[in-house]
Every structure is written in C-alpha cells, then in structure tokens.
Amino acid sequence: MTSSILIIYTGGTIGMKQDPVDLALRPFDFSQILEEVPELKKFAVRIDSYTFDPLIDSSDVEPSLWTKLAGLIRDRYDRYDGFVILHGTDTMAYSASALSFMLDGLAKPVIFTGSQLPIGMPRTDGKENLVSAVEIAAAKDADGHAMVPEVSIFFDSLLFRGNRSTKYSAEDFNAFASPDCPPLAEAGINIRYNRRVIRYPSDWSQPLTIHGDLDTRVSILKVHPGITPQVVRNILLGEETRAVIIETYGSGNALSKPWFLDIVEEAGRTKVLLNVTQCKSGTVNMDIYATGQTLKRAGVVSGYDITTEAALAKLFVLMGLHADNATVKARLEEDLFGEISK
Ligand code: ASP
C-alpha cells in the first residue's frame, strides 16, 4: 500500500526562494511543493502539506510551537505513515528534543529537516535533505512497520536521533552532529538503517500520548573562569526558576570556591539542579574529582551525556508532569527516550 506523508512547514532557510526581480529571499509557497521538488513525484508516496502561518525564523521558536506541532501530529496520526517537519536549523535540535519527550508511544517517523542554503538556490542542500527525509519517513520493514519510529533530524546524508543532536556548524552542509549516539541511518546509494541503534516500540499498537503541559521555569548557568557570585546567585536562586541546568567543565566539574558551593547548596534545597557537561561528547561523572563530588553532595543530579537542548526539553516535560521535585530528579536519571547512554 502507498505510504502517506505529511510535510509540516514551519519556516527557516529551506523554504526561501530568491525573487528573480530584487534577489531578496522570500518564503516559498509550499502548496506547490511537488512542482518545486519534482524528485518527490518519483516515490510511490502520497504527500500532503501543512504550512504554518506565519512562517518563522526558528530563532523565534517558543514552546507553544512544540505544543502546536505535537497537537497537529496527534490529530493526524492515523492518517499518515510519517511526518517530515521543515524547520530552521538554529533551534532544530531544541524542537526535535522537545517532540521526542512530548510524543510518548510514538510508532511512526517524525523527521526534522531544513537546509543551509534556500531550496531555490542552485547549490541548495534543501532538496537532497527533503527528498531523503521523505524517503526515510515512508520506509517500512517487511512487517509493514516504520523503519525509524523516532523523532529524528536528517541532514547532509545522516539521520540522527533528535534528542542527541546539536547544531554544530553555522556554514557547512553537515550542520548537525550527534557525538554520543551513532546515526540512525545513512543515505548513500542505498539508505542504510542502523537497526541496533534505532528504538522500536515494545507494542506497535500502543496509543500516542501527548505530554503537552510544559513547565518552562528553567534557566541555564554556564560556569566559566571569572564568573561572579552575583551572577551565580541571580541564576541559581532566581525566584522564577524551578530548575537550573548547570553547564560544567569536563566530567561535571565546577569551581570549588566556598561561595559557589554555598549558593549551589542553598539552591539545591528547593530547586532541581542538573549537571550537563560543556564538552561536545562524553559524560558527566561526579565521582571522579572532588569538585564533582561536592556538587553531588549538594543534590545536583547527573545529566550523563545529555545535550543541553535535550536537558531543557526533558525538564520542561518532566516538570509539567510532576509537581514534586523528587520525582523529577528521579526521572532525570532514567533514559526515557534514548537521550542518555545508561
Ligand atoms: N535562522 C534560520 C532559522 O533557523 C537559519 C536556518 O534555517 O538555517 O530559521
């Protein structure tokens, strides 16, 4: 049976086309998608599109966009075999991370893609990214199940788990990296699926549940040489936050100065503190150095090898689900949707 795919167009560089008159980049009319990307007609796939109004640069993404995306997918879940979301690259890793936690019980592909050059440009990477994302979204195994029933990002021939991805380059076509998790698939002459890494549902017929109530009272403290007590106090003890991601050095270390530890201890009494390393790969391990051990004693939870993007999304969803911080802390330690290596 022919697969059916919904392309959801939110905005971003991919959907721009150069106006032949004034050469300005303008949003592209996606109702004409099949004419603009004729390669898509070669697949035996039925394609529908949904265009956001207004289209946005992804630097303007708010959690409300994630709630809207999750609702759109839930309402059309039975009608489509897969979903391709066209999104700006700047916050694509945040949005893909968020949807991975919000779409619980997902058994169909939800693939984010975009491009570094607009789809109307001769050297665009947008066509290749879009065509491959659609092919992967439509791919099924011999039992008729989706090949990649996950939230993912397709970019420059690689498919990454959404909540393991990070924007890595502002100008290269390989804009994304997933340092702690191998690609889920690779598009060469054939598309090679990495079935040892892809997560499959234990029950393919389980219903899709949306976790749409997000508690966004999170801030991020990036430690750095020269950081002052005022800055640390403002971020860690701010009344408007319920959780703080502390971006630490190396394997989860921060300064050992008494003033810093005093503030962390005070904040840890009422807030969720999550330790995420500033390193691009590798994991937090607060047992190695004395500086890490003191953070652990102050109640800071290990983020293991989670990305900051995924940490933010995980906190938003867990805090939306659980009113008590003890449960949030306990669940942060669990690998919920493949976001940490444990
Ligand atoms: N600023 C753009 C956006 O994220 C960049 C892009 O699409 O690549 O929407």
Side-chain angles (χ1 to χ4, degrees):
M1 209 175 69
T2 310
S3 290
S4 51
I5 300 299
L6 180 66
I7 297 177
I8 304 174
Y9 172 35
T10 67
T13 299
I14 189 167
M16 305 276 176
K17 208 162 106 175
Q18 205 162 31
D19 188 307
V21 179
D22 64 5
L23 304 183
L25 290 176
R26 300 239 152 71
F28 169 93
D29 177 1
F30 253 77
S31 59
Q32 298 162 22
I33 187 167
L34 293 177
E35 281 146 55
E36 297 287 347
V37 190
E39 293 82 351
L40 288 176
K41 288 192 194 138
K42 295 185 183 150
F43 295 129
V45 176
R46 182 171 68 80
I47 295 174
D48 291 334
S49 65
Y50 179 97
T51 301
F52 270 55
D53 183 16
L55 294 165
I56 57 164
D57 184 304
S58 79
S59 311
D60 280 323
V61 160
E62 294 282 347
S64 56
L65 177 118
W66 305 334
T67 315
K68 182 167 175 188
L69 280 173
L72 269 169
I73 292 170
R74 178 202 47 218
D75 296 346
R76 292 157 180 77
Y77 194 65
D78 294 335
R79 275 192 269 152
Y80 294 97
D81 297 295
F83 300 84
V84 172
I85 302 177
L86 302 182
H87 191 291
T89 57
D90 288 346
T91 58
M92 190 184 288
Y94 288 92
S95 294
S97 294
L99 275 257
S100 77
F101 294 104
M102 292 169 78
L103 301 175
D104 201 350
L106 187 69
K108 296 182 178 182
V110 174
I111 307 180
F112 282 76
T113 195
S115 68
Q116 295 283 64
L117 274 179
I119 208 155
M121 296 272 210
R123 283 196 312 111
T124 184
D125 50 332
K127 279 193 184 185
E128 156 62 19
N129 287 346
L130 174 55
V131 169
S132 297
V134 168
E135 181 167 348
I136 295 171
K140 292 184 185 166
D141 65 15
D143 297 326
H145 293 138
M147 290 297 281
V148 190
E150 291 204 34
V151 178
S152 58
I153 289 181
F154 184 85
F155 228 88
D156 193 42
S157 81
L158 296 175
L159 185 77
F160 295 124
R161 177 166 299 145
N163 59 30
R164 291 298 198 129
S165 307
T166 193
K167 186 170 179 184
Y168 167 81
S169 171
E171 57 185 53
D172 293 337
F173 284 150
N174 59 342
F176 287 87
S178 166
D180 289 315
C181 180
L184 306 179
E186 200 167 330
I189 292 177
N190 298 305
I191 294 178
R192 289 189 300 278
Y193 293 93
N194 194 351
R195 297 193 73 117
R196 281 179 302 108
V197 182
I198 297 169
R199 288 165 60 90
Y200 301 100
S202 48
D203 171 7
W204 285 92
S205 58
Q206 67 191 325
L208 180 71
T209 307
I210 303 291
H211 301 308
D213 285 330
L214 305 177
D215 183 345
T216 60
R217 291 175 294 160
V218 181
S219 44
I220 300 174
L221 173 72
K222 180 168 186 161
V223 298
H224 59 84
I227 197 164
T228 62
Q230 288 88 330
V231 168
V232 173
R233 203 174 291 118
N234 284 346
I235 298 179
L236 283 186
L237 300 177
E239 273 175 19
E240 65 286 0
T241 55
R242 182 175 163 200
V244 182
I245 295 166
I246 307 179
E247 282 198 350
T248 55
Y249 305 126
S251 54
N253 308 308
L255 30 174
S256 59
K257 303 231 171 37
W259 65 260
F260 181 81
L261 296 169
D262 286 348
I263 301 171
V264 170
E265 263 173 30
E266 187 180 340
R269 278 183 223 124
T270 54
K271 294 180 197 281
V272 178
L273 304 179
L274 182 62
N275 189 341
V276 174
T277 175
Q278 292 176 20
C279 291
K280 301 293 171 248
S281 77
T283 185
V284 165
N285 181 344
M286 289 187 281
D287 294 323
I288 304 180
Y289 296 97
T291 48
Q293 287 175 354
T294 26
L295 292 180
K296 191 174 174 181
R297 276 199 295 277
V300 178
V301 178
S302 175
Y304 300 94
D305 56 353
I306 200 166
T307 61
T308 297
E309 294 91 325
L312 193 78
K314 191 172 182 179
L315 279 165
F316 282 6
V317 170
L318 288 181
M319 295 197 318
L321 285 171
H322 307 289
D324 64 306
N325 286 351
T327 308
V328 172
K329 286 185 190 177
R331 297 204 65 199
L332 281 171
E333 297 263 3
E334 294 169 26
D335 174 22
L336 301 176
F337 294 97
E339 73 281 4
I340 52 178
S341 315
K342 265 196 96 178

